[in-house]
């Protein structure tokens, strides 16, 4: 049975791959958002979903980590580790965020996002006991790397 979250994703025009990823149904995959201002390669749209300011790709973990490294020049897990040092806000559709280093009078924009979903794990506790968790890591145009994580919405949310 598809949840209300799936319906909401459809109304927002998301593809099945992104919808399933954000619903926690693709824990072996990763999602990559690459802003047009960061990577200008029209061929990327062949592998993912064209979104307002870039391309969002959902692929198996190994391919995704390799694609991330090819596009950014940085190893995905190395980037994630560095981004974990600073919490920020990454949009739940993975295509933007709010840089924690941005002064109120400056515009900052996301260059790229790397994300993966982790299945519920009651043994770990915290938000992991509450349901599946999306981990997202972003880099801002100012060079700041930051992270965010949240529980996957359910029909009850």
């Amino acid at each position: 049975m598809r949840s209300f979250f799936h319906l909401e994703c459809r109304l927002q025009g998301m593809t099945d791959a992104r919808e399933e990823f954000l619903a926690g149904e693709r824990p072996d995959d990763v999602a990559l958002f690459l802003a047009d201002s960061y990577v200008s390669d029209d061929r990327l749209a062949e592998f993912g979903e064209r979104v307002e300011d870039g391309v969002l790709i959902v692929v198996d973990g190994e391919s995704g980590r390799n694609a991330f490294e090819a596009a950014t020049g940085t190893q995905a897990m190395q980037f994630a580790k560095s981004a974990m040092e600073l919490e920020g806000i990454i949009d739940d559709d993975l295509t933007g965020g709010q840089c924690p280093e941005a002064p109120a009078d400056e515009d900052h924009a996301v260059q790229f996002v790397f994300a993966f979903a982790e299945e519920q794990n009651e043994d770990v506790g915290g938000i992991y006991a509450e349901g599946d968790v999306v981990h997202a890591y972003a880099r801002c145009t100012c060079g700041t790397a930051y992270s965010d994580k949240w529980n996957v919405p359910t029909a009850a949310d």
Side-chain angles (χ1 to χ4, degrees):
M1 184 170 116
R2 296 178 75 85
S3 70
F4 174 75
F5 180 69
H6 289 281
L7 176 60
E8 186 176 325
C9 287
R10 287 277 179 226
L11 293 174
Q12 292 176 8
M14 292 183 197
T15 63
D16 286 341
R18 181 164 48 147
E19 175 185 339
E20 291 167 357
F21 179 85
L22 293 172
E25 296 172 3
R26 295 178 74 150
D28 295 330
D29 293 350
V30 298
L32 309 172
F33 167 73
L34 301 165
D36 289 334
S37 61
Y38 184 72
V39 176
S40 59
D41 187 341
D42 293 334
R43 295 175 298 168
L44 287 173
E46 297 173 28
F47 302 103
E49 173 185 356
R50 165 86 21 221
V51 294
E52 185 174 336
D53 294 321
V55 174
L56 191 125
I57 303 167
V58 177
V59 293
D60 72 88
E62 187 63 29
S63 296
R65 287 185 289 276
N66 291 336
F68 179 84
E69 185 172 356
T72 66
T74 304
Q75 291 182 337
M77 298 317 287
Q78 179 183 8
F79 170 67
K81 184 177 178 181
S82 71
M84 282 191 296
E85 296 175 12
L86 184 61
E87 288 186 25
I89 297 172
I90 298 173
D91 296 348
D92 61 5
D93 69 357
L94 304 175
T95 63
Q98 297 174 9
C99 177
E101 300 290 322
D105 62 341
E106 285 185 29
D107 260 349
H108 287 226
V110 169
Q111 291 182 312
F112 54 82
V113 172
F114 172 77
F116 63 90
E118 188 173 349
E119 294 176 312
Q120 181 176 2
N121 185 341
E122 293 180 11
D123 294 337
V124 175
I127 68 169
Y128 301 95
E130 297 170 19
D132 298 342
V133 176
V134 173
H135 295 263
Y137 309 94
R139 174 163 297 144
C140 179
T141 52
C142 72
T144 299
Y146 58 98
S147 66
D148 195 2
K149 62 184 172 188
W150 58 88
N151 282 109
V152 170
T154 63
D157 291 337

